[in-house]
Amino acid sequence: MKAAPFAYVRPSTLPDAIAELASTDGGGKVIAGGQSLVPVLAMRLARPETLVDINSVAELDRIGTAGGYLEIGATVRQRRVERDPVSAAVPLLGMALPWVGHRELRSRGTVCGSLAHADPAAELPAVACCLNAELVVTGTGGARRVPAREFFSGAMTTALGPSDILTAARFPIAGRGEGFGFAEIARRHGDFALAGVAARVRVRGAETDAELTGFGVSDRPVTCSAGGELATALSECGGDVSRLASTLSGPLTAVAEELVDTDGDAHASRDYRRRLFRTLASRELSKAYERARRSAGEVNP
């Protein structure tokens, strides 16, 4: 199937791009890499009147660190983020990017495009929610920063208004004592996940807290605190951290039942996704804890 006819504009400044989008009165779509949008157009699941191509807006093509964040502009390709040494400041992002499609798709697709598309089984929205990244939304009223956990409101639905552009994503730089984990299960590498997990653990002296984000298990990325489950498992292990992954599975059962609320589909039932989530979460939370201890200097690297 081919896309329905549409107009095409390619402004060279951000104000012009916003003005072009606003002039469509909700009938426009922003395109940068197109790896999420073009398939939707080809299947005619979306029929915008106008595509606003932002690739000529130079100020959106930037990546760098400032104020404790890694900031990625709207036209920066995923592959560039994957290869740029500055991205090491956000380890969870580096863990997740190799799971996004294939290298050829990442060479064209953008980080902000994946976030704006808001597929509930996509990896980057889960990373943004786990870290509670700041998403910079610019519209006719100016720019505002939206916490990632408030940005996603449902499947393919976000806080973006009809004349808004997601101009940048700001991921917090990892600090001392932080560790991360990321994994997913898909039918084939590059497919959207049947279930996936992003984990973040912080160790500060005797205090340990943890957060888990599941994706592919609901209509949006779902995040919860897992510090209580981690503390319970550590107590049951009696100091034997090598048993942590297997011990965590029990405490995470209730978390899986709460977070995994999909009705299931032809590929996996709700119960199967809950088992996948519980297994992945216990494993990645355990890895994140070990990495956090190394980062805190409690064990040798």
Side-chain angles (χ1 to χ4, degrees), residues 110-209:
T110 64
V111 170
C112 287
S114 178
L115 297 173
H117 187 64
D119 191 302
E123 294 83 359
L124 296 180
V127 171
C129 286
C130 187
L131 300 177
N132 206 15
E134 293 181 351
L135 305 185
V136 183
V137 175
T138 307
T140 52
R144 64 186 190 276
R145 294 178 182 177
V146 181
R149 293 174 192 173
E150 299 175 12
F151 182 77
F152 303 100
S153 52
M156 316 291 186
T157 307
T158 69
L160 289 171
S163 61
D164 287 337
I165 298 175
L166 178 57
T167 48
R170 289 163 49 85
F171 295 90
I173 293 172
R176 179 180 172 84
E178 288 192 277
F180 306 91
F182 186 95
E184 68 178 48
I185 298 293
R187 295 170 62 222
R188 300 168 299 186
H189 181 76
D191 285 2
F192 285 113
L194 296 176
V197 165
R200 178 191 198 185
V201 174
R202 282 167 284 199
V203 173
R204 294 187 177 91
E207 296 182 3
T208 300
D209 61 79

Side-chain angles (χ1 to χ4, degrees), residues 256-277:
E257 291 182 358
E258 177 186 350
L259 296 188
V260 182
D261 61 5
T262 178
D263 287 335
D265 52 33
H267 305 299
S269 66
R270 178 188 300 179
D271 287 344
Y272 180 57
R273 282 189 163 93
R274 283 175 173 168
R275 292 198 298 273
L276 289 180
F277 175 87

Side-chain angles (χ1 to χ4, degrees), residues 238-264:
D240 183 1
V241 179
S242 64
R243 295 173 47 210
L244 183 57
S246 58
T247 308
L248 267 166
S249 183
L252 286 172
T253 298
V255 175
E257 291 182 358
E258 177 186 350
L259 296 188
V260 182
D261 61 5
T262 178
D263 287 335

